[in-house]
Amino acid sequence: MKPYYLHICVFAFVAALFSSPELHGQEQQKQPDILQQIEDEADRLQRLLNLEDWQVFYVDSILKHNFPAMMEEIEKLSKGKVSNTNIYMSVQDRWLDKTDSAYMKIFTKEQWAAYLKTGAAKQQKARAKRRGV
């Protein structure tokens, strides 16, 4: 099962690629939905990994920081008329790596191992492959 935040990131990627005044208005309307998805992801990880309340707070904070920052960076690329999808993917991958790195700092070894088993390890390998590592 893929973490929800990847679905959020894919939405952001697609929205930025096809940015238009009509879509931008829809994006603003969907902002509460995105925040709800972030909170849902934090709740899902709490249940799945048996996170402490303080860990859920950090997961929520990490996602609420990283996702808008990634969206802003993608929006700048879009406004700059960047058409190379590899650049958008590298931005997304970098922010997902930052998210995983932050998670690793707050999860116990057991929680991290369980997180990797949820599909995160496979996604990390895919990102590394795209980087050529």
Side-chain angles (χ1 to χ4, degrees):
M1 184 157 138
K2 293 182 180 181
Y4 282 60
Y5 72 86
L6 289 178
H7 298 294
I8 295 169
C9 294
V10 170
F11 169 79
F13 178 71
V14 172
L17 278 178
F18 300 105
S19 178
S20 69
E22 297 84 25
L23 251 183
H24 189 69
Q26 289 175 355
E27 184 179 328
Q28 287 177 348
Q29 291 173 351
K30 292 190 181 230
Q31 186 69 17
D33 293 333
I34 292 167
L35 293 177
Q36 184 61 50
Q37 288 179 333
I38 288 171
E39 290 172 9
D40 291 346
E41 173 63 3
D43 291 342
R44 186 188 75 84
L45 289 175
Q46 180 182 30
R47 288 187 309 277
L48 186 68
L49 306 175
N50 197 26
L51 298 179
E52 299 288 331
D53 289 341
W54 68 269
Q55 291 173 305
V56 177
F57 172 80
Y58 277 110
V59 166
D60 185 70
S61 298
I62 290 163
L63 291 175
K64 285 182 178 174
H65 171 267
N66 288 1
F67 180 71
M70 180 190 69
M71 288 288 294
E72 182 180 327
E73 196 169 337
I74 288 174
E75 184 66 25
K76 284 180 185 176
L77 292 172
S78 179
K79 285 181 180 179
K81 308 260 189 250
V82 174
S83 60
N84 184 340
T85 57
N86 291 333
I87 294 172
Y88 290 91
M89 288 299 293
S90 69
V91 168
Q92 180 178 329
D93 287 350
R94 185 168 31 84
W95 282 105
L96 292 175
D97 285 341
K98 286 182 179 190
T99 300
D100 281 351
S101 176
Y103 283 174
M104 193 162 67
K105 293 176 184 176
I106 63 169
F107 292 168
T108 65
K109 290 180 183 182
E110 295 80 15
Q111 290 167 332
W112 180 249
Y115 173 71
L116 292 175
K117 288 180 184 178
T118 67
K122 187 175 181 180
Q123 294 159 4
Q124 287 174 352
K125 287 179 186 175
R127 292 193 304 263
K129 185 177 180 181
R130 283 193 291 272
R131 282 192 308 271
V133 176

